[in-house]
Amino acid sequence: MANGWSIIIGLVVIVAMCLAAWFFSPKGENQVLWRSSLILAIVSCYLMWAITFLAQLHPLIEPRRSDIRKEYIHH
């Protein structure tokens, strides 16, 4: 499942989790604090995962093997 759809599927899951945190946060004087904390934590975890996933999906630097003899390297 390492393709571009993983980001979209993850986003849908995160939106559902944020909606659940919004509607099921405990009632009371700290409701805004609960909502803000849960949604901020969920979104922060998603962003960290998405950045790491995309960095591995499309790396900026191509790895090179050092154990190949020079006559077999095609440039």
Side-chain angles (χ1 to χ4, degrees), residues 39-60:
I39 292 173
L40 182 64
I42 291 167
V43 170
S44 297
C45 288
Y46 172 74
L47 281 176
M48 189 65 201
W49 172 80
I51 290 168
T52 305
F53 182 81
L54 289 174
Q56 293 177 10
L57 189 62
H58 300 291
L60 295 177

Side-chain angles (χ1 to χ4, degrees), residues 2-65:
N3 54 28
W5 287 105
S6 299
I7 300 295
I8 305 298
I9 293 169
L11 184 62
V12 170
V13 170
I14 293 303
V15 167
M17 289 174 64
C18 287
L19 287 173
W22 181 267
F23 288 113
F24 296 124
S25 61
K27 307 293 186 239
E29 63 184 39
N30 291 330
Q31 185 178 20
V32 174
L33 181 65
W34 272 97
R35 282 180 178 170
S36 302
S37 299
L38 288 173
I39 292 173
L40 182 64
I42 291 167
V43 170
S44 297
C45 288
Y46 172 74
L47 281 176
M48 189 65 201
W49 172 80
I51 290 168
T52 305
F53 182 81
L54 289 174
Q56 293 177 10
L57 189 62
H58 300 291
L60 295 177
I61 301 171
E62 181 180 332
R64 295 189 182 148
R65 292 180 54 177

